[in-house]
Amino acid sequence: MSLRILLVRHGLSSFNLEHRIQGRDDLSSLTEEGVKQALATGEALRDLPITAAYSSPLRRAHDTATALLAAQGGGLEPCLDDDLLEVDLAPWSGLLSSEVQERFPEAYRTWKQHPQQLVLQRADGSSYAPIPELMDQARRFVDRLLAEHNPSSPTPQTVLVVGHNAILRCTLLTLLGLEASGFRRLRVDNASLSVLNLSADGEGDLSVQIESLNGTTHLHPEVCGGRLPSKGSGPRLLLVRHGETDWNRQGRFQGQIDIPLNENGRAQAAAAGDFLRKVSFQRAYTSSMARPRQTAEGILSHHPGVPLASVRDLVEIGHGEWEGCLESEISEGWGELLAAWKRAPETVQMPNGETIHDVWDRSLRGWNTIAASLHSDETALVVAHDAVNKTILCALLGLGPADIWAVKQGNGGVTVIDYPHGPDQAPVVVCLNQTAHLGGVLDRTAAGAL
């Protein structure tokens, strides 16, 4: 079985509202809106069995955890853990962001562009690097968490972790095996919910799957489907996986066989359309296959006049001789190759089909061409397939072809990517695999095999 980790950032604090630097000083508190956010998050998780809860001891996080757990109804109290303290920005603590930018322009620029390189001075005159220190702190927390809640345990476990923006980013990077250089590739909003599924094989090798990142739809239940995180400067792309087909339901490898949406898939497309009804799209792109085109058309039914273009590079992986087969049928003829595909997909050549490297190269070529064509104020819709979306997202997160199973893409799931500094600079994964519009904030079943 496996371990599910729920990562929640504290609700809106007084310093968040004032745009002040908080760091690990305990000078700010939850606002009234922050308390509402904590309660809404707990309500979204109501009756979900939670094994244990951990929180930063800082008031804004502790109060969020306490309110969340009360609304969740499981009777848990949070265990306070110093390794969930926020990043140490003591020289800037309490200052407005604008004041830091004015008084420390070079350091502030480093913080925004290359935070892992930032060096500050403590009160005693010694120097320290806040983000590398925070990565070490995150590793300690993760190591102790996994020792306490073994992912190879026969009993499914769900653990809640309530912390802060920077420590949660470092925790995510640590779980994904990424370096501190990926710090700015992730976004963690107030009271957002990120879900990771962990499992371990008989030899103790850990596998991590991102079920979702930075979900905020539960904070706006009055809005149909909720809301996406706010857009800043730079172009935005929404990446959606097509709705369900009969072959998805049957567990057949469909690849480049052009299977259309089934009734449920059309309903998923309609639900995604309702969810994205208020998003202003300027352009839309789809794989040249029927199932993503039908999904895109369902979404764009609320956006008349938005042009929809087909992109050949976004077609699904070619499974070759596996296409149309059930996994049990593939196992009979290509048992070892199928096992390798699950264990090490980057090593597999599909029989008369493609490799994941083939898909990686063409899907990123298509994606980057789209991103480069957008103006800074534009938002584009891109609808594609499971393997295509996974290769794109792995690349954007800093993962590689070996890591495609680390990213979950549900039928009709929505992912948001921003390019705040332009399409030639590093993107930000704003949120990943949002599926609340399909029913529920997260999959209520135990985390499945990766």
Side-chain angles (χ1 to χ4, degrees):
M1 300 299 289
S2 52
L3 168 67
R4 169 176 275 169
I5 300 178
L6 312 177
L7 300 177
V8 175
R9 182 184 172 189
H10 65 76
L12 184 73
S13 72
S14 55
F15 273 28
N16 290 146
L17 199 60
E18 298 164 4
H19 302 288
R20 293 186 182 276
I21 303 296
Q22 301 183 101
R24 63 180 49 184
D25 286 341
D26 211 3
L27 303 175
S28 68
S29 58
L30 277 187
T31 62
E32 182 178 345
E33 176 63 20
V35 173
K36 291 180 180 178
Q37 291 174 332
L39 293 173
T41 307
E43 185 63 34
L45 300 174
R46 174 170 287 279
D47 301 324
L48 179 74
I50 296 178
T51 308
Y54 300 87
S55 171
S56 160
L58 298 179
R59 280 188 302 162
R60 57 192 186 271
H62 184 197
D63 290 350
T64 297
T66 300
L68 185 163
L69 289 167
Q72 187 267 340
L76 284 177
E77 293 289 333
C79 176
L80 304 186
D81 195 306
D82 284 349
D83 279 332
L84 290 174
L85 286 167
E86 181 57 312
V87 62
D88 185 357
L89 298 175
W92 298 351
S93 183
L95 297 177
L96 295 170
S97 296
S98 57
E99 292 175 325
V100 176
Q101 187 173 7
E102 180 180 344
R103 292 171 56 181
F104 311 98
E106 186 175 344
Y108 186 79
R109 191 178 308 111
T110 300
W111 170 244
K112 287 296 183 179
Q113 297 178 1
H114 305 287
Q116 74 278 11
Q117 299 176 9
L118 177 68
V119 175
L120 297 176
Q121 280 70 47
R122 292 192 169 92
D124 62 5
S126 61
S127 297
Y128 72 104
I131 293 301
E133 283 194 358
L134 198 66
M135 287 293 291
D136 289 341
Q137 179 181 310
R139 290 187 190 99
R140 290 197 303 270
F141 175 74
V142 168
D143 286 346
R144 286 189 290 103
L145 183 71
L146 297 183
E148 182 69 22
H149 305 280
N150 189 342
S152 63
S153 168
T155 304
Q157 302 174 80
T158 298
V159 172
L160 173 71
V161 177
V162 180
H164 309 265
N165 189 354
I167 183 58
L168 291 182
R169 292 196 208 191
C170 290
T171 301
L172 284 163
L173 293 172
T174 298
L175 286 166
L176 294 171
L178 295 171
E179 300 298 324
S181 56
F183 184 83
R184 291 289 179 201
R185 291 178 181 257
L186 301 170
R187 177 165 159 177
V188 181
D189 287 21
N190 289 115
S192 65
L193 174 64
S194 298
V195 183
L196 290 94
N197 298 321
L198 282 66
S199 63
D201 61 21
E203 297 179 358
D205 291 332
L206 185 68
S207 295
V208 179
Q209 180 199 60
I210 308 167
E211 181 176 315
S212 63
L213 288 179
N214 200 38
T216 58
T217 54
H218 60 284
L219 302 178
H220 308 283
E222 74 285 358
V223 179
C224 179
R227 290 194 188 118
L228 293 174
S230 60
K231 179 183 180 298
S233 61
R236 165 170 280 191
L237 290 91
L238 274 66
L239 180 63
V240 179
R241 184 185 176 197
H242 65 77
E244 185 188 73
T245 70
D246 283 341
W247 279 19
N248 285 144
R249 179 169 291 187
Q250 295 164 12
R252 294 188 184 276
F253 282 55
Q254 50 193 357
Q256 296 179 1
I257 296 180
D258 209 2
I259 306 300
L261 298 182
N262 61 19
E263 183 178 354
N264 187 50
R266 292 190 292 273
Q268 290 171 333
D274 285 339
F275 177 39
L276 303 176
R277 182 190 293 264
K278 294 186 178 181
V279 175
S280 178
F281 291 113
Q282 285 69 51
R283 312 190 198 186
Y285 302 86
T286 175
S287 154
S288 54
M289 304 184 73
R291 52 194 185 269
R293 172 169 286 278
Q294 291 169 340
T295 303
E297 289 170 347
I299 294 171
L300 293 177
S301 64
H302 302 293
H303 305 271
V306 174
L308 178 60
S310 294
V311 180
R312 174 63 189 170
D313 280 337
L314 298 180
V315 300
E316 181 60 302
I317 185 172
H319 287 301
E321 295 177 40
W322 292 2
E323 293 189 359
C325 295
L326 297 170
E327 183 173 311
S328 58
E329 295 169 336
I330 295 170
S331 182
E332 290 179 5
W334 297 276
E336 291 185 7
L337 195 62
L338 180 62
W341 172 243
K342 293 180 176 182
R343 183 185 66 256
E346 78 283 5
T347 68
V348 172
Q349 168 69 62
M350 296 284 182
N352 294 318
E354 290 186 292
T355 68
I356 200 64
H357 299 279
D358 295 330
V359 181
W360 182 281
D361 291 343
R362 63 173 170 79
S363 64
L364 285 173
R365 182 173 61 229
W367 175 267
N368 290 334
T369 298
I370 292 169
S373 73
L374 299 178
H375 300 298
S376 62
D377 60 346
E378 288 189 314
T379 297
L381 171 70
V382 180
V383 184
H385 306 263
D386 189 29
V388 169
N389 288 13
K390 286 177 175 178
T391 55
I392 291 169
L393 291 170
C394 280
L396 299 181
L397 288 166
L399 298 167
D403 302 309
I404 60 166
W405 304 130
V407 178
K408 186 172 182 177
Q409 286 290 278
N411 290 114
V414 176
T415 294
V416 180
I417 308 296
D418 281 352
Y419 286 86
H421 307 293
D424 58 339
Q425 299 297 314
V428 177
V429 179
V430 174
C431 60
L432 187 150
N433 198 40
Q434 300 307 296
T435 57
H437 54 286
L438 304 175
V441 174
L442 73 165
D443 183 353
R444 296 271 173 161
T445 61
L450 303 180

